[in-house]
Amino acid sequence: IKFNFQKTNQAPISFLKKKGKGLGDYLKRLREIVKERDYSLSEGFLNLAQEKVFFEKKKKFDLILVCGVGGSALGPKTVYQALKRKKDLKEILFFEGLNPLFLKEVQDKIKKTPKKKIALFWISKSGKTLESVVNFSIIFKNLKGKKPEIFVLTDKGSPLERLAKER
């Protein structure tokens, strides 16, 4: 993965040069995470872009939902928005809050999507963030009978990991 932040951000180069002195070290860390395929760190989501299995499966989904709050949704959303500028990507709906208008939009899209054609990503570092749990349960209730494929990204040993392994 090549990290080219200059083409995907909206900050002037002068600002980045002034404020971004530590950016080189952080980019080096990101490259190492990707090289080692390390999913144990919060930046591990970057590895998804290289996962052949993920992209092969992605082709079969008509609707992709991401449920996460704060950094759990912000990282994937940022990468998606940056990639979307360069490539024609399927729409991904990021369910980050309790917005009734957005929920209605999601419900309408779920109703129109055939069975087994929905992917739901539940991302929560701790696995117990209240907003994330509430959002997931709202989406999950709307998915009854749709047989979605659910992907869980969380810390090892979290309540969410235990729940995912049970089911």
Side-chain angles (χ1 to χ4, degrees):
I1 290 178
K2 183 177 181 183
F3 298 103
N4 189 352
F5 60 91
Q6 292 175 343
K7 292 184 180 180
T8 58
N9 73 75
Q10 296 179 357
I13 295 296
S14 58
F15 174 82
L16 293 174
K17 285 180 180 177
K18 185 178 177 184
K19 299 289 184 180
K21 293 185 184 205
L23 192 57
D25 290 339
Y26 187 61
L27 288 173
K28 189 175 182 180
R29 177 181 172 198
L30 293 177
R31 286 187 186 97
E32 191 63 31
I33 290 169
V34 171
K35 181 180 173 189
E36 299 295 325
R37 290 201 174 312
D38 188 349
Y39 281 93
S40 66
L41 301 169
S42 59
E43 296 92 341
F45 72 87
L46 291 169
N47 291 301
L48 289 175
Q50 298 186 64
E51 293 295 343
K52 185 177 178 186
V53 172
F54 174 75
F55 279 105
E56 285 175 356
K57 284 188 169 193
K58 181 179 97 52
K59 292 176 188 172
K60 76 177 189 175
F61 299 123
D62 292 342
L63 180 59
I64 301 171
L65 304 169
V66 175
C67 180
V69 176
S72 293
L74 186 59
K77 188 174 187 178
T78 302
V79 171
Y80 171 73
Q81 289 174 341
L83 291 174
K84 193 165 175 77
R85 291 180 179 188
K86 300 281 185 184
K87 298 180 184 223
D88 183 30
L89 300 176
K90 288 186 181 183
E91 181 181 26
I92 298 176
L93 299 176
F94 291 88
F95 202 76
E96 303 170 82
L98 300 173
N99 179 335
L101 296 175
F102 183 68
L103 176 59
K104 174 75 171 113
E105 178 186 340
V106 171
Q107 289 170 327
D108 291 344
K109 289 186 180 197
I110 288 171
K111 286 177 188 172
K112 294 175 186 173
T113 306
K115 283 183 182 178
K116 298 184 178 182
K117 291 290 197 174
I118 299 173
L120 172 58
F121 290 83
W122 186 4
I123 307 170
S124 175
K125 183 169 175 45
S126 69
K128 54 187 175 185
T129 306
L130 181 61
E131 295 92 336
S132 182
V133 172
V134 169
N135 288 344
F136 180 81
S137 55
I138 289 170
I139 293 174
F140 193 73
K141 285 178 185 175
N142 284 280
L143 291 171
K144 292 247 190 265
K146 291 293 187 170
K147 298 184 179 179
E149 198 157 333
I150 299 175
F151 301 86
V152 174
L153 291 95
T154 188
D155 279 346
K156 288 182 180 179
S158 75
L160 181 52
E161 182 193 39
R162 288 191 294 278
L163 177 66
K165 285 182 176 180
E166 288 172 11
R167 301 190 178 191

